[in-house]
Amino acid sequence: MFGDSYSENDLLDTLHHLAKGEHITWNDNQLAPDTRFYVLGLAPNAARLSVRFFWQNTFGRMARNLARHYDRLNIIRPAYDKFPTLPVWRLVQETVRKPSPDARPAEPNPRLAGDLLLAVLNDMPYPATLLDGTALRIRAERNVSRGQAAIIKAYYLRNSSNPKLKEVMTVELNEQSTYLPYVLGRLFAVLEAVQQSANPGINATIKDRYFNSASATPSSVFPLLINLAQKHLAKLDGGLGLYYQKKIADLIDRITQTLPARMTLPEQGAFQLGYYHETQKRYAKSKKEES
């Protein structure tokens, strides 16, 4: 089917064919969905190796489970991110601090990679340690990376039964949703954009000071942020100021209930995904205008 050189997209395409029960020719070899497939998980144990798990099933079953996993992970990515997929090792790295030149690389939870891989192979719920580690990194860094947004989306699509929560676990911005935590995440991204437009080159934005409290205790933060935005809007020219005023008004109109004093972890995940989606939408629009 392919030559000696192949890409991640080639592999994904092959997986999707196998997942649909189709036979595939790969480098002159026939790959059949009913072929038995085995995965042995090993872990270092002092001077020895210990067996973490031994998985066996058909090639087709593995392909279907991997295809479902990658579909759940699929999310809009920044223009600079050229990787079409997020392998297990990259997901695990999203739970630890980013490496710096003067510090040793942080080590993820030693069991996480094995637990995550086994969950993917069996199409089972993702381990809670994956979400816990991701949530801790978002709080520490006050930012949401593509990998972290993908983890939030995949985790709640597979692990949650809340239809309102799953409604916003989408690849791109869900502009029609009125789910409050998601709307608040979008609103926070817009308020940050207003501040950046009013103060070009600003070193620290409202995200650096208020991101965690806005996602956890919105009732105590958003009134302050909206008042602050009025001062920033006054600095903008008519066209841009009017655009942001309409954007803010549209999102506020979607808030039909009292701001909660505290949001749960799943609600914070929806807030973080709303922030990520809205931010990527803005960057994509800016890139299009530059082109």
Side-chain angles (χ1 to χ4, degrees):
M1 184 176 177
F2 308 111
D4 293 333
S5 177
Y6 49 86
S7 67
E8 287 186 57
N9 284 327
D10 295 331
L11 292 171
L12 284 176
D13 186 57
T14 300
L15 279 177
H16 282 294
H17 281 291
L18 288 167
K20 291 188 288 187
E22 301 172 4
H23 290 241
I24 294 295
T25 300
W26 178 273
N27 288 345
D28 298 325
N29 294 311
Q30 283 290 327
L31 302 181
D34 57 355
T35 301
R36 298 298 293 178
F37 197 84
Y38 306 89
V39 178
L40 177 64
L42 300 174
N45 183 10
R48 303 177 182 180
L49 290 176
S50 61
V51 176
R52 286 285 308 277
F53 64 84
F54 180 64
W55 183 88
Q56 56 180 317
N57 212 311
T58 64
F59 213 172
R61 173 65 66 180
M62 183 196 70
R64 282 193 294 275
N65 291 347
L66 284 175
R68 290 168 182 161
H69 167 67
Y70 282 119
D71 283 344
R72 287 191 292 263
L73 281 178
N74 187 25
I75 198 164
I76 185 173
R77 65 179 192 263
Y80 61 80
D81 191 336
K82 304 303 180 183
F83 294 95
T85 62
L86 291 164
V88 167
W89 69 265
R90 283 195 66 187
L91 297 179
V92 170
Q93 288 300 317
E94 294 291 352
T95 66
V96 297
R97 69 174 182 272
K98 302 296 183 288
S100 58
D102 56 346
R104 292 180 58 186
E107 294 292 333
N109 184 317
R111 292 191 58 87
L112 178 55
D115 292 345
L116 176 56
L117 178 58
L118 200 54
V120 171
L121 291 173
N122 287 318
D123 193 26
M124 296 291 286
Y126 296 107
T129 48
L130 176 65
L131 182 68
D132 292 342
T134 301
L136 287 172
R137 291 320 309 159
I138 292 174
R139 290 193 196 105
E141 296 164 5
R142 295 177 295 280
N143 191 41
V144 186
S145 68
R146 175 226 177 168
Q148 290 163 346
I151 288 171
I152 291 170
K153 174 177 175 280
Y155 185 91
Y156 287 116
L157 282 177
R158 182 61 186 84
N159 292 41
S160 175
S161 59
N162 183 342
K164 293 296 290 181
L165 179 63
K166 296 174 81 166
E167 169 192 286
V168 299
M169 298 297 142
T170 51
V171 177
E172 298 181 328
L173 179 65
N174 184 339
E175 298 194 58
Q176 307 307 316
S177 177
T178 57
Y179 184 48
L180 181 58
Y182 187 76
V183 172
L184 290 176
R186 292 184 60 192
L187 178 58
F188 189 92
V190 172
L191 296 177
E192 182 187 28
V194 171
Q195 183 186 36
Q196 290 173 324
S197 298
N199 302 280
I202 186 172
N203 291 325
T205 68
I206 57 172
K207 179 179 68 174
D208 299 286
R209 183 173 180 183
Y210 296 109
F211 186 81
N212 291 335
S213 53
S215 65
T217 56
S219 65
S220 63
V221 176
F222 271 95
L224 170 66
L225 295 179
I226 291 172
N227 286 335
L228 186 62
Q230 302 309 310
K231 299 176 182 178
H232 296 145
L233 286 168
K235 298 180 181 179
L236 301 178
D237 62 51
L240 186 58
L242 183 60
Y243 166 78
Y244 278 126
Q245 283 178 348
K246 290 182 176 179
K247 187 82 172 176
I248 293 170
D250 175 66
L251 290 171
I252 291 177
D253 284 345
R254 294 170 184 266
I255 301 174
T256 58
Q257 54 188 288
T258 304
L259 294 180
R262 184 166 295 277
M263 292 206 289
T264 64
L265 189 61
E267 289 171 337
Q268 291 179 44
F271 177 99
Q272 292 154 0
L273 198 60
Y275 173 84
Y276 177 83
H277 277 158
E278 186 67 45
T279 301
Q280 293 307 314
K281 180 79 171 181
R282 184 173 82 250
Y283 288 160
K285 183 175 182 292
S286 298
K287 193 74 176 178
K288 184 177 180 180
E289 289 173 349
E290 289 174 5
S291 300

